[in-house]
């Protein structure tokens, strides 16, 4: 996409120069001057002001092609700043992120993306995003994943959690081979323990099987502080479990 934008830049500048020259050399006869500015060369400034910036800003750092098929990592946002570029009232943000990879390694990097004004409040430190990265080249940035099926993204994130020791091998198997279900949080109480920077909750959930039957699981579950509210009693969770072993589960997302 950045290559397309580069090819469009020079013609846009040339057309804009012709547009300005045509307008400035128009006669001073009222309506003639107005009509002189309304000419075919108007396409130049339109491309220069709208199309070219959009193409440049939508391309990840380093260009789309570099990240095609690259490994998927888990990026945690550490800081957010506006770049000053705005496209159709949509600001571009630069995110400084810490990226975790499937081999258990981590590195710092950056990415840029356009964010709708209604979603600006959600883009803040602590937000977790799936990204593609170039192994051994953190300075070339990362790109938010937009080209992968949800199943591929979820499997990559499960593998990263296993490599970081955040889930057990059984939970990794559940995330990979488990069946989707809904669960209701029956009870939740903080234990007072902090494990790897996460609050440990005494959590009981009631999971509904595909046939309509239910079963309860109670366990201590470490969770990030920002998602504790999603574990309140009565909350509905999307989970996965193994029908052959109803002793554990993984949380996919909150549904309310």
């Amino acid at each position: 996409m950045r290559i397309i934008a580069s090819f469009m830049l020079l013609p846009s500048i040339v057309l804009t120069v012709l547009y300005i020259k045509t307008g400035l050399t128009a006669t001073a006869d009222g309506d003639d001057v107005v009509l002189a500015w309304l000419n075919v060369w108007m396409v130049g400034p339109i491309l220069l002001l709208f199309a070219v910036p959009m193409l440049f800003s939508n391309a990840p750092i380093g260009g789309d092609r570099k990240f095609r098929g690259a490994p998927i990592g888990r990026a945690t946002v550490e800081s957010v700043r506006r770049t000053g570029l705005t496209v159709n009232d949509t600001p571009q943000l630069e995110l400084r992120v810490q990226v975790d990879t499937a081999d258990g390694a981590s590195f710092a990097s950056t990415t840029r993306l356009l964010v709708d004004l209604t979603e600006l409040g959600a883009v803040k430190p602590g937000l977790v995003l799936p990204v593609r990265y170039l192994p051994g080249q953190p300075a070339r940035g990362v790109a938010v994943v937009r080209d992968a099926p949800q199943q591929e993204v979820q499997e990559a994130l499960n593998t990263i959690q296993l490599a970081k020791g955040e889930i057990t091998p059984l939970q990794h198997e559940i995330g990979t081979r488990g069946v989707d279900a809904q669960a209701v949080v029956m009870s939740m109480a903080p234990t007072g323990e902090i494990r790897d920077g996460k609050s440990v909750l005494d959590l009981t959930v009631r999971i509904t099987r595909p046939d309509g039957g239910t079963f309860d699981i109670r366990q201590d579950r470490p969770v990030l502080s920002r998602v504790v509210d999603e574990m309140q009693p009565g909350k509905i969770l999307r989970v996965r479990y193994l029908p052959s072993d109803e002793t554990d589960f993984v949380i996919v997302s909150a549904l309310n």
Side-chain angles (χ1 to χ4, degrees), residues 99-236:
V99 182
D100 299 315
T101 65
D103 59 2
S106 299
F107 64 89
S109 192
T110 58
T111 189
R112 290 182 179 181
L113 68 161
L114 292 172
V115 179
D116 190 88
L117 289 172
T118 60
E119 299 175 351
L120 279 179
V123 183
K124 56 187 178 182
L127 178 67
V128 177
L129 299 167
V131 297
R132 292 197 183 276
Y133 66 94
L134 303 176
Q137 303 180 65
R140 303 185 75 175
V142 296
V144 175
V145 174
R146 304 180 189 277
D147 61 344
Q150 180 58 37
Q151 182 67 24
E152 180 185 349
V153 174
Q154 189 61 54
E155 289 177 1
L157 296 179
N158 291 342
T159 301
I160 292 167
Q161 286 184 296
L162 179 63
K164 303 290 288 187
E166 298 171 356
I167 60 175
T168 66
L170 174 58
Q171 289 170 336
H172 180 259
E173 183 181 5
I174 294 171
T176 303
R177 300 197 304 106
V179 298
D180 289 330
Q182 289 189 12
V184 178
V185 179
M186 305 302 293
S187 66
M188 184 276 286
T191 65
E193 179 186 354
I194 303 295
R195 190 182 304 168
D196 297 326
K198 299 178 181 178
S199 302
V200 179
L201 306 179
D202 178 2
L203 189 68
T204 300
V205 299
R206 178 164 295 165
I207 298 175
T208 301
R209 304 184 186 94
D211 64 3
T214 63
F215 63 96
D216 293 357
I217 296 179
R218 179 181 179 180
Q219 61 179 215
D220 288 348
R221 175 68 61 113
V223 300
L224 294 169
S225 58
R226 63 184 176 82
V227 298
V228 170
D229 286 344
E230 298 177 3
M231 304 294 124
Q232 297 294 330
K235 288 287 188 177
I236 300 175

